[in-house]
């Protein structure tokens, strides 16, 4: 996923970035709609939280000023945030909580924008690269999906996408990525992905796709039953580890599970001798016993 | 960076290796500890400092809004965190930003149902894209969680309870698997 210099593995960093995004989203997203906001005064706790975000930023910004030469526009923005915060405090003192909240929302929004601008460039570069890789995977997956659905309808369905343009955007993005300019490459890939999604939407909107249980071969169906058995066995273990199954029920669960496992072995043996139809039949019965075990353990299988 | 709610869910993907089925009772007793919407009712919607999800040592955690304050105005539900999120969105009780960088961007709602037939007595599963895409961007799920192709995704209830596939969100921030009928909703012919 990433071969440059992130301090942690790709997945962990991704989650870290997501956590950051979550925090930002929670802080910027109004919890109640504007319509409802007019009806209900903002809670003091929420105002405290927003005010806290702004105060912490302002404190940090003073430290940053000592470390870095700051551009005039950043300085101006910090001053604007400081003023919004002061005005919000004044509005709060005057008991105009709605006004205080509106001012704090503006301040928090600016804090987040500015925080991004002042973020660690190395981390930003890594995030752009990770996003580039995600976008690449997305474009490839959606293009395959688009082509499959178009083929299935002989191209009669709406939603035609200019694939040459998509490929052009992808190639441009690749060139930019080759010179490490992921920040500029990403909007191009996002545009390509959005074109494909729009095309898929044109073909599939207001439709129902059925993923049926028609198996290509008995071996495939046997594999499905094996997977099902593994899932059901896991569910039985989970039910028992919950600690809510009484002694007699637990005994019944264990009996059913043991019987099921005997049949499971029979099924595997039949499959080993290429008798897939026989194996499927036995596995279905084995799995039914596991479902009975789940019911005995109190799981809602109907 | 679209579909922030989906990203919330992705933070908490875990996998736990399961022992062979020989002794069901010997399995680890931690399988549901992160499946927070299936915990005891009293342990749901705890303040961020106490919920076992957020880091209580992080000063930012104390600034997060408490779920009980946030959920007060929303449409109620009997399961999970007691919020009917779809209804809350429909009613306008919440108005999540689709793109954190662009307050004007609107969701690309995709009205496509996927019916997934299942063996056994349980009704088939219906996956409605429309109510998911009101919150999420396509890229939140495709292709990392679900490859957009029939037959390419093995999905089981065990995986979901373990926080994979649908369980990336359901059981954490969306209704839990105890609400069987919400997904197993298509009666077999």
């Amino acid at each position: 996923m990433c071969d440059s210099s992130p301090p942690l593995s790709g997945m962990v960093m991704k989650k870290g970035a997501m956590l950051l995004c979550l925090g930002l989203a929670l802080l910027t997203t109004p919890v109640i709609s504007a319509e409802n906001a007019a009806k209900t005064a903002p809670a003091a706790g929420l105002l405290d939280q927003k005010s806290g975000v702004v105060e912490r930023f302002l404190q940090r910004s003073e430290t940053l000023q000592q470390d870095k030469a700051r551009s005039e526009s950043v300085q101006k923005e910090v001053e604007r945030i400081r003023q919004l915060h002061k005005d919000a405090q004044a509005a709060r003192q005057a008991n105009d909580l709605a006004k205080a909240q509106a001012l704090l929302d503006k301040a928090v929004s600016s804090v987040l924008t500015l925080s991004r601008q002042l973020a660690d460039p190395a981390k930003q570069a890594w995030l752009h690269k990770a996003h580039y890789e995600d976008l690449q995977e997305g474009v490839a997956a959606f293009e395959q999906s688009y082509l499959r659905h178009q083929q299935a309808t002989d191209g009669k369905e709406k939603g035609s996408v200019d694939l040459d343009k998509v490929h052009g955007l992808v190639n441009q993005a690749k060139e930019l990525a080759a010179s490490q300019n992921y920040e500029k490459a990403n909007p191009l890939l996002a545009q390509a992905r959005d074109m494909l999604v729009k095309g898929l939407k044109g073909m599939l909107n207001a439709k129902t796709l059925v993923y049926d249980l028609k198996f290509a071969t008995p071996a495939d169906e046997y594999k499905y039953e094996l997977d099902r058995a593994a899932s059901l066995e896991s569910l039985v273990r989970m039910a028992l580890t919950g600690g809510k199954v009484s002694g007699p029920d637990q005994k019944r669960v264990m009996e059913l599970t043991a019987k099921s496992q005997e049949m499971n072995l029979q099924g595997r043996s039949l499959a080993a001798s290429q008798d897939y139809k026989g194996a499927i039949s036995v596995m279905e019965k084995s799995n039914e016993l596991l479902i009975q075990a789940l019911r005995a353990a109190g799981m809602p299988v109907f | 960076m679209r579909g922030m709610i989906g990203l919330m869910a992705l933070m908490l993907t875990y996998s736990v290796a399961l022992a062979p089925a020989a002794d069901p009772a010997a399995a680890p007793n931690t399988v549901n500890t992160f499946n927070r919407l299936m915990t005891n009712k009293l342990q749901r919607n705890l303040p961020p400092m106490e919920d076992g999800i957020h880091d209580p040592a992080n000063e930012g955690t104390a600034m997060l809004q408490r779920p009980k304050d946030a959920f007060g105005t929303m449409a109620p539900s009997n399961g999970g965190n007691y919020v009917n999120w779809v209804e809350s969105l429909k009613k306008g009780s919440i108005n999540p930003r689709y793109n954190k960088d662009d307050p004007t961007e609107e969701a690309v709602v995709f009205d496509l149902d996927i019916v997934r037939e299942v063996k056994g007595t349980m009704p088939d599963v219906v996956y409605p894209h429309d109510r998911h895409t009101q919150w999420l961007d396509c890229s939140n799920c495709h292709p990392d969680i679900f490859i957009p192709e029939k037959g390419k995704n093995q999905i089981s209830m065990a995986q979901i309870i373990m926080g994979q596939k649908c369980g990336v969100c359901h059981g954490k921030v969306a209704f839990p698997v105890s609400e069987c009928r919400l997904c197993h909703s298509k009666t077999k012919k």
Side-chain angles (χ1 to χ4, degrees), chain A residues 22-38:
Chain A
L22 166 68
L24 299 181
L26 285 175
L27 292 167
T28 50
T29 305
V31 174
I32 49 179
S33 67
E35 190 188 339
N36 286 343

Side-chain angles (χ1 to χ4, degrees), chain B residues 45-122:
Chain B
N45 295 340
L46 293 174
M49 293 293 278
E50 299 164 28
D51 64 8
I53 298 167
H54 298 87
D55 177 6
N58 186 326
E59 59 183 20
T61 301
M63 292 194 285
L64 293 174
Q65 192 175 23
R66 287 169 299 187
K68 279 179 183 167
D69 294 339
F71 298 165
T73 57
M74 299 190 198
S77 155
N78 292 327
N81 50 20
Y82 308 115
V83 175
N84 184 333
W85 292 98
V86 172
E87 192 58 28
S88 297
L89 187 63
K90 209 162 130 188
K91 274 175 48 186
S93 311
I94 42 172
N95 184 19
R97 187 180 285 194
Y98 193 63
N99 181 343
K100 75 177 172 62
D101 294 325
D102 181 359
T104 62
E105 186 169 332
E106 291 193 359
V108 181
V109 179
F110 196 174
D111 179 16
L112 167 68
D113 284 354
I114 304 278
V115 174
R116 201 178 166 89
E117 293 183 350
V118 295
K119 269 198 181 184
T121 53
M122 290 293 279

Side-chain angles (χ1 to χ4, degrees), chain A residues 21 23 50 67 69 73 75 85 94 102 104 106 113 120 128 136 151 167 172 188 200 204 216 237-238 242 250:
Chain A
C21 295
K50 291 185 178 187
D67 296 343
S73 64
Q75 293 281 17
H85 187 243
L104 283 172
K106 276 187 194 169
T113 308
D120 175 5
H128 287 308
Q136 254 193 333
Q151 204 176 12
H167 296 152
Q172 277 181 55
L188 299 175
L200 279 164
L204 300 173
R237 286 200 295 280
M238 289 175 198
Q250 193 163 357

Side-chain angles (χ1 to χ4, degrees), chain A residues 60-129:
Chain A
R60 195 158 46 92
S61 104
E62 280 162 17
T63 318
L64 282 171
Q65 280 174 341
Q66 291 168 8
D67 296 343
K68 287 185 185 176
R70 310 281 298 283
S71 76
E72 202 178 317
S73 64
V74 170
Q75 293 281 17
K76 263 189 184 171
E77 192 58 13
V78 171
E79 284 315 311
R80 197 178 77 87
I81 292 166
R82 202 184 301 280
Q83 190 58 49
L84 283 166
H85 187 243
K86 271 186 192 166
D87 292 347
Q89 281 178 317
R92 239 183 129 170
Q93 277 171 359
N95 214 22
D96 189 348
L97 298 186
K99 185 178 176 188
Q101 170 152 279
L103 289 164
L104 283 172
D105 280 345
K106 276 187 194 169
V108 170
S109 174
S110 299
V111 163
L112 295 175
T113 308
L114 210 50
S115 296
R116 277 197 292 275
Q117 286 171 14
L118 300 174
D120 175 5
K123 189 177 171 191
Q124 288 298 307
W126 185 85
L127 287 173
H128 287 308
K129 188 181 178 197

Side-chain angles (χ1 to χ4, degrees), chain A residues 246-265:
Chain A
S246 68
D249 287 341
Q250 193 163 357
K251 194 180 164 206
R252 173 89 181 126
V253 172
M254 300 297 274
E255 282 168 3
L256 287 163
T257 307
K259 271 188 203 167
S260 165
Q261 282 175 355
E262 274 175 34
M263 298 187 84
N264 186 304
L265 290 174

